[in-house]
Amino acid sequence: CGRCLQCRTGNSHICKNTRIIGVDRDGAFAEYIAMPATNVLPLDGVPTTVGAIMDPMGNAFHAVLSAEIQGSSVFVVGCGPIGCFAVGIARAAGAAKVIASDVNAKRLSLARRMGAHVTINAATDDVVRTVLDETGGEGADLVCEMSGVPSALHQAFAAVRLGGRVQLLGIPKGEVPVDFASEIIFKGITVYGVIGRKMYETWHQMRRYLTTGLLDPRPVITHQFPLAKIDEALAAIRAGDAGKIILEIA
Ligand SMILES: [Zn+2]
């Protein structure tokens, strides 16, 4: 809105008057939408397939780059598309070790293609034990929780090191009990809620990572369909194995 306290202090991603396109008003599946001019940015040579996924990728940039990454250990919980982007961004930004977990083997292989050094299958492996083993017993400097699954949220707090940082992006379906004393206070950690993108910092960072080749997010694009086959595209999403799906408009 440009006028509220948040907008005036450089935090327009948490503007109280925000109307999210696709949430508060019709979005990408509408026949026509009026896009606010401030939301339009030139692709500057970024391929349109990548341009099509820059919206969720911006959330991953916000989640990763609002923490200190260089030389750090990063644990990404949940390897959906945004989790996989976060893996690639953490690698590109200079993380020393990137660990990723999910319950889906296909998603874990995507995370490996995006640069994860270590992947953990949360359905079969001891997640917290593995993160501790991979970080010299300390836990990860930074944990990005991308799933919103209650068991994974607890793993995020258990796997972060004392004094570390947890970025919460995954949205739980309901209330999740938290032991504030042992999971947060006594560990001296910082918890950050990731909503939207930092306007416009995240956009410019993302565009530079893409145009300079620091980050190639294309492994996350697993399917492409013509618009007429949208039902097949939605079925692929529901099957749970897809990364990002591109609809081609001829
Ligand atoms: Zn505002």
Side-chain angles (χ1 to χ4, degrees):
C1 74
R3 285 181 292 279
C4 72
L5 185 152
Q6 284 73 26
C7 283
R8 286 259 160 96
T9 54
N11 291 293
S12 59
H13 63 295
I14 40 175
C15 167
K16 60 185 166 190
N17 299 314
T18 295
R19 295 189 69 226
I20 300 174
I21 297 166
V23 177
D24 301 311
R25 42 182 285 210
D26 286 347
F29 285 174
E31 192 171 1
Y32 294 100
I33 61 167
M35 180 69 76
T38 50
N39 288 31
V40 177
L41 102 161
L43 285 175
D44 274 357
V46 173
T48 49
T49 47
V50 174
I53 58 174
M54 282 173 73
D55 174 66
M57 207 185 332
N59 294 100
F61 269 93
H62 182 184
V64 175
L65 295 190
S66 52
E68 215 170 281
I69 299 300
Q70 284 172 356
S72 67
S73 54
V74 178
F75 175 35
V76 177
V77 184
C79 296
I82 301 181
C84 285
F85 295 143
V87 166
I89 296 160
R91 277 299 301 264
K97 182 170 270 187
V98 180
I99 306 166
S101 72
D102 202 286
V103 293
N104 181 313
K106 283 195 181 162
R107 290 181 161 199
L108 288 172
S109 80
L110 277 184
R112 278 192 293 277
R113 286 183 64 197
M114 290 304 293
H117 297 99
V118 179
T119 54
I120 309 170
N121 190 324
T124 54
D125 304 332
D126 185 333
V127 174
V128 176
R129 183 78 261 152
T130 309
V131 174
L132 290 173
D133 287 348
E134 292 290 338
T135 54
E138 299 287 348
D141 298 316
L142 173 71
V143 177
C144 296
E145 206 302 305
M146 314 304 243
S147 74
V149 175
S151 59
L153 277 157
H154 292 299
Q155 287 163 3
F157 289 120
V160 71
R161 73 162 165 80
L162 296 172
R165 186 176 170 102
V166 176
Q167 315 283 73
L168 296 178
L169 183 143
I171 301 168
K173 286 210 168 69
E175 293 182 11
V176 178
V178 176
D179 183 340
F180 283 94
S182 68
E183 296 190 86
I184 298 176
I185 300 168
F186 293 150
K187 291 190 77 169
I189 64 169
T190 302
V191 179
Y192 178 70
V194 181
I195 173 75
R197 286 144 294 275
K198 285 274 194 176
M199 306 291 278
Y200 290 86
E201 185 183 346
T202 313
W203 286 14
H204 292 295
Q205 289 170 327
M206 175 163 55
R207 194 159 52 170
R208 290 186 200 121
Y209 271 66
L210 294 170
T211 54
T212 57
L214 267 176
L215 176 74
D216 182 0
R218 284 173 294 187
V220 182
I221 300 172
T222 53
H223 301 68
Q224 276 182 253
F225 292 99
L227 185 58
K229 294 196 170 173
I230 187 168
D231 290 338
E232 282 179 44
L234 292 173
I237 291 172
R238 290 195 188 101
D241 291 336
K244 273 291 164 200
I245 297 181
I246 302 293
L247 288 172
E248 297 151 3
I249 300 171

